Amino acid sequence: MRDDIARFIDHLTVAGRSPHTLAGYRADLETLAEQLEPKPLAAAQAIDLRKALAQQHARGLGSRSLARRLSAWRQFYQWLQQSGQREDNPASALRAPKRDKLLPKALPVDGAAALLDRIEGDDELDARDRAIFELVYSCGLRLSETVGLNLQDVDFSDQLLRIRGKGGKERLAPIGAEAMRRLRTWLAQRQAAADEPALFTGRHGRRLGGRQIEKRLRDWAVKTGASQHVHPHMLRHSFASHLLQSSGDLRAVQELLGHANLSSTQIYTALDFQHLAKVYDQAHPRARQASAKPDADEDN
């Protein structure tokens, strides 16, 4: 049994696989071999592998790890086929559980306010940064949408922003009072080449790039004492989460985010529930008592 694994690893070594990959495959196959005992690894059937996969899932192994293990099993049995030791691949028809859908990370309301309020400075680029991040948080912008903004996209009279989203689709979003104030401050100092239409420009007067925006926000988050890594998309997530918490209007949030399908927006309802659950646990006088001491009659 272990000899089969050793020969398979030798085969992968000759094929040029990295030491990290080899170590991972070896561990995945040895774990499977232990689960299958006393049946030899090379004699496993599809039902055996399905049972092993289910057991590992029940023990809490994540979907990504399960998918990686299943990939190792498939390659092992494919190698057995190619070397004439088996006629079939019992792992070929197996599918790993769907990958866990990670919830987007959002700042708490006071965390977003603290970050934006502490971005100050006399340099025109500091004024630009504050305008960028206020606008992203005010309108729920994607990074690519922020980079693509032009001067003509800002309607100062009606306080609206024209946004070009995915697939070239345009939408209008209201601009909050604070973001509007910061935009005016930035535009009074904006230095740009005569033919440059970009709303946000760099030191050389040309359109600001996405990586520059990411770096500036990361640096500002560190300077202002943020407790976590902050990136532009986190401000978009915060916009959606905070708006949904206050309004409960999923359709409106969908329109403001520029989502084509409501299912893309519904993930924020999970964030909203997490917020409510946290408030309940912290504020309800009997929440902790109930969780710590189950009701004696709950099974009756």
Side-chain angles (χ1 to χ4, degrees):
M1 175 173 61
R2 298 293 193 262
D3 289 344
D4 287 337
I5 296 176
R7 288 197 298 272
F8 175 61
I9 297 300
D10 288 342
H11 163 73
L12 294 180
T13 302
V14 173
R17 296 297 184 92
S18 71
H20 178 75
T21 299
L22 298 177
Y25 276 27
R26 185 189 298 277
D28 292 339
L29 290 169
E30 287 180 348
T31 298
L32 177 61
E34 290 173 4
Q35 284 186 267
L36 294 176
E37 288 180 346
K39 180 178 284 190
L41 185 62
Q45 300 302 311
I47 191 171
D48 301 317
L49 301 184
R50 188 174 291 108
K51 182 179 178 181
L53 204 63
Q55 288 174 341
Q56 293 181 24
H57 186 48
R59 291 172 187 165
L61 197 66
S63 57
R64 290 178 182 271
S65 297
L66 289 171
R68 188 204 68 224
R69 289 192 174 181
L70 185 53
S71 175
W73 300 354
R74 285 199 191 101
Q75 293 194 47
F76 172 73
Y77 288 108
Q78 182 179 10
W79 170 74
L80 289 179
Q81 273 187 293
Q82 292 172 347
S83 59
Q85 299 177 64
R86 281 192 70 118
E87 294 184 357
D88 64 330
N89 184 337
S92 61
L94 297 184
R95 295 292 178 268
K98 288 185 178 180
R99 289 190 173 185
D100 304 322
K101 193 166 188 178
L102 300 178
L103 293 178
K105 292 182 179 180
L107 293 165
V109 174
D110 55 353
L115 171 66
L116 295 173
D117 289 342
R118 291 174 187 167
I119 299 177
E120 296 291 355
D122 298 327
D123 190 286
E124 67 271 13
L125 298 187
D126 298 331
R128 180 204 63 193
D129 292 348
R130 182 69 186 270
I132 291 174
F133 305 138
E134 285 284 358
L135 195 63
V136 171
Y137 181 55
S138 176
C139 301
L141 300 176
R142 299 180 177 94
L143 181 58
S144 59
E145 294 170 346
T146 307
V147 170
L149 288 173
N150 293 324
L151 286 168
Q152 64 183 21
D153 294 325
V154 182
D155 183 337
F156 287 94
S157 59
D158 292 330
Q159 296 190 12
L160 292 174
L161 184 69
R162 179 184 294 105
I163 306 162
R164 285 174 292 280
K166 289 184 176 180
K169 294 181 63 176
E170 290 191 358
R171 67 184 189 277
L172 289 176
I175 304 173
E178 183 63 18
M180 205 73 209
R181 185 170 74 87
R182 294 294 175 172
L183 268 177
R184 293 183 188 278
T185 301
W186 154 241
L187 290 177
Q189 306 175 54
R190 174 181 176 270
Q191 300 291 327
D195 60 342
E196 180 55 71
L199 179 60
F200 298 116
T201 55
R203 290 189 183 277
H204 300 293
R206 291 298 181 184
R207 187 180 300 273
L208 195 64
R211 290 192 177 182
Q212 292 170 288
I213 293 176
E214 289 176 324
K215 183 180 183 304
R216 294 287 289 190
L217 179 57
R218 182 176 66 248
D219 292 346
W220 273 117
V222 171
K223 289 179 184 177
T224 57
S227 59
Q228 57 186 312
H229 169 65
V230 181
H231 51 84
H233 220 65
M234 186 180 286
L235 291 179
R236 174 174 160 88
H237 293 323
S238 301
F239 159 86
S241 179
H242 300 166
L243 198 60
L244 189 59
Q245 287 173 19
S246 300
S247 70
D249 192 332
L250 195 62
R251 287 286 183 183
V253 175
Q254 176 193 3
E255 291 295 325
L256 290 169
L257 287 173
H259 284 161
N261 300 309
L262 189 62
S263 59
S264 299
T265 316
Q266 285 174 330
I267 192 170
Y268 294 102
T269 62
L271 287 176
D272 190 36
F273 178 79
Q274 285 185 345
H275 168 76
L276 294 175
K278 184 177 181 180
V279 170
Y280 176 86
D281 288 341
Q282 292 176 344
H284 196 286
R286 299 181 69 82
R288 293 179 183 174
Q289 179 180 346
S291 60
K293 185 178 180 181
D295 190 336
D297 297 327
E298 67 180 355
D299 294 329
N300 294 338

